[in-house]
Amino acid sequence: MDTLVINGGQRLRGTVRISGSKNACLPIMAAAMLAEGPSTLHRVPALADIKAMAGLLGELGLRSDWQDDTLTLTVEDETPSHARYDLVRKMRASISVLGPLLAKRGRARVAMPGGCAIGARPIDLHLRGLEALGAQIELESGDIVATAGRLRGAEVYLGGPFGSSVLGTANIMSAATLAEGTTVIECAACEPELTDLADYLNAMGARVTGAGTPHVVIEGVEHLTGCEHTVIPDRIEAGTFMCAAAITNGEVHIDRVRLDHMMAVVDRLRAVGVIVEKADGGASVSSSRRLHAVETTTQPYPGFPTDLQAQLMALVCLADGNSVITEKVFPDRFMHVAELARMGAQIHKEGPTAIVTGCRRLVGAPVMASDLRASAALVLAGLAAGGQTIVNRVYHLDRGYERIEEKLVALGAEITRVST
Ligand code: UD1
């Protein structure tokens, strides 16, 4: 198992190029099985989750051909329909194969994903949506077994207690492309990754309108044809590097970023005292020496993303005054709090809210990564801390950040990966 050893205190300077979005890429890869003929995806990040999805699709009859960051997916065999538990357990986004399997092959057996470090992760909205399209769904030995003839267009409401569901919307949108008639999704998730999925589906011949809004209309078509698509830049990776620049009091140019996907993030970073400006097709990020405390609530897009909550928390550990961070998407997503406390952070948690009392300095310590974004927060804290920080269980980080230590080292950080 790898660890990262970070000698903190270096100011980051230079340019970092943002990779393609993991969360856009995963449901797009799954949707490739809807097509006749190969799909070629550009700017696919080399990440453990992407490899896991390619492995799962391999079991489902799709061949993956890689050339640098270009991936061509070709359907070779349409008989398999089983996404096994040991694959789904490793990566929850495996649930994205459910809609495409059902729409194209008429059957799907997908292991029911369990909970994970960020809390309970139900999939009732996915199932309710597919049932509305005409699927019969049963639970058998921990697997969701879904069958259908041709799906039928329907009105589907995807609102849940914590807003909509991103992958639920992806599943219903993908499945409805091949349904007979028109599907209307109300309370669809609006994340840019779903607009990217719709762009890919439309390039294959689908008729999806309204993606990126809560009201999405999909007119079903008879068949889809593979196409070429370039994945959008990863807004969560970009936000993480913005926090890295700010926490080290550095000056970083973020290349290939979509600031229009990051308005809430930029708003909160500016409130902290981070200077974010559009520059040369990207953004330049620097920070004032003193950071200000902020209040933030995570929300579905276009609100502040839950996937940057931990990183923002690491940043405001060093701000003047008390910051209040409330988690409204995954209310238990606070595993990083105890680890940040090991580095001297002062954080008081009260239900879904954390109150962070800024301190003058963090101190390096051995810490344990618990999930992907919590790990990123610990790396950020390590970059700013005095002394050495050892981040254990780096495999979480490898799921979602392409070559993170290489990118940080190129900006002047002192980080080494140690394989044990
Ligand atoms: C996606 C992202 C993840 C991000 C999350 C929220 C991918 C691969 N993952 O996950 O990085 O943190 O969106 O932005 O894109 N819920 C229900 N019923 C359901 C489904 C979800 O109640 O059927 C609840 C969840 O428990 C959670 C909230 O809805 O509280 C949002 O979850 P959801 O949008 O489904 O997350 P994912 O799509 O799994």
Side-chain angles (χ1 to χ4, degrees):
M1 232 184 277
D2 291 2
T3 58
L4 287 184
V5 179
I6 307 172
N7 289 315
Q10 317 302 320
R11 293 174 73 172
L12 300 192
R13 285 177 196 282
T15 297
V16 63
R17 171 167 280 195
I18 299 306
S19 302
S21 159
K22 165 180 89 73
N23 285 357
C25 208
L26 290 169
I28 287 176
M29 288 170 72
M33 79 172 83
L34 293 165
E36 315 294 334
S39 276
T40 297
L41 307 176
H42 301 290
R43 231 184 260 164
V44 176
L47 298 170
D49 273 11
I50 297 289
K51 285 178 198 145
M53 179 58 89
L56 170 58
L57 293 177
E59 292 204 356
L60 294 173
L62 278 76
R63 198 181 73 223
S64 294
D65 294 301
W66 289 92
Q67 197 169 22
D68 304 321
D69 65 354
T70 293
L71 168 64
T72 300
L73 288 164
T74 311
V75 183
E76 290 190 318
D77 178 8
E78 290 204 314
T79 44
S81 58
H82 188 189
R84 293 181 297 114
Y85 180 55
D86 50 334
L87 294 176
V88 175
R89 188 172 51 88
K90 280 194 206 128
M91 186 192 47
R92 288 189 43 90
S94 306
I95 193 70
S96 326
V97 300
L98 180 59
L101 275 176
L102 192 61
K104 189 66 173 45
R105 304 185 187 181
R107 65 198 176 280
R109 184 178 190 114
V110 178
M112 181 90 172
C116 65
I118 68 176
R121 307 267 310 250
I123 55 160
D124 54 305
L125 296 170
H126 303 236
L127 303 185
R128 204 202 300 163
L130 292 172
E131 275 174 341
L133 297 182
Q136 286 91 49
I137 296 179
E138 283 168 31
L139 196 61
E140 247 178 52
S141 321
D143 290 341
I144 302 149
V145 180
T147 48
R150 187 173 179 198
L151 296 171
R152 295 182 311 271
E155 288 183 5
V156 179
Y157 178 73
L158 281 184
F162 300 101
S164 190
S165 164
V166 176
L167 291 179
T169 303
N171 256 328
I172 310 309
M173 194 194 286
S174 300
T177 57
L178 291 179
E180 191 179 341
T182 301
T183 298
V184 176
I185 308 178
E186 283 299 353
C187 205
C190 302
E191 273 66 6
E193 292 74 18
L194 291 164
T195 312
D196 205 31
L197 171 63
D199 288 345
Y200 167 65
L201 293 168
N202 286 340
M204 292 204 293
R207 297 199 192 128
V208 182
T209 52
T213 78
H215 179 83
V216 179
V217 179
I218 305 119
E219 279 176 55
V221 297
E222 294 286 333
H223 58 262
L224 299 173
T225 313
C227 66
E228 287 205 26
H229 180 77
T230 300
V231 177
I232 55 170
D234 194 312
R235 63 194 168 101
I236 306 302
E237 187 197 15
T240 304
F241 276 98
M242 287 178 180
C243 291
I247 205 168
T248 61
N249 195 18
E251 225 176 303
V252 173
H253 178 78
I254 315 260
D255 187 22
R256 216 194 256 158
V257 60
R258 289 279 304 263
L259 284 181
D260 56 324
H261 292 167
M262 303 185 65
M263 289 187 56
V265 176
V266 171
D267 176 72
R268 288 300 79 195
L269 288 176
R270 285 185 177 147
V272 174
V274 182
I275 301 154
V276 183
E277 279 165 357
K278 259 192 197 158
D280 295 341
S284 74
V285 182
S286 55
S287 81
S288 47
R289 198 157 272 282
R290 305 206 68 97
L291 301 174
H292 314 298
V294 285
E295 281 192 25
T296 308
T297 300
T298 66
Q299 284 169 333
Y301 189 83
F304 190 90
T306 172
D307 285 352
L308 282 171
Q309 179 254 110
Q311 299 89 317
L312 183 76
M313 189 179 297
L315 180 62
V316 297
C317 283
L318 292 168
D320 286 335
N322 291 330
S323 294
V324 181
I325 298 182
T326 301
E327 177 53 72
K328 285 222 172 137
V329 180
F330 293 110
D332 296 328
R333 190 175 204 175
F334 286 110
M335 302 290 280
H336 41 286
V337 167
E339 299 302 304
L340 288 171
R342 287 177 48 73
M343 301 178 71
Q346 290 178 34
I347 307 171
H348 173 72
K349 198 176 109 33
E350 193 71 51
T353 297
I355 297 158
V356 185
T357 303
C359 59
R360 282 249 163 266
R361 55 193 294 270
L362 294 169
V363 283
V367 286
M368 194 66 84
S370 56
D371 70 74
L372 171 54
R373 307 303 171 184
S375 319
L378 298 176
V379 170
L380 293 178
L383 291 173
Q388 196 169 74
T389 296
I390 299 172
V391 182
N392 292 298
R393 296 196 188 156
V394 175
Y395 57 86
H396 288 294
L397 216 50
D398 295 336
R399 286 185 38 222
Y401 289 94
E402 190 174 43
R403 299 180 291 107
I404 188 167
E405 77 270 25
E406 264 178 55
K407 289 188 181 186
L408 287 168
V409 165
L411 293 173
E414 280 187 21
I415 304 187
T416 41
R417 181 181 284 253
V418 180
S419 298
T420 47

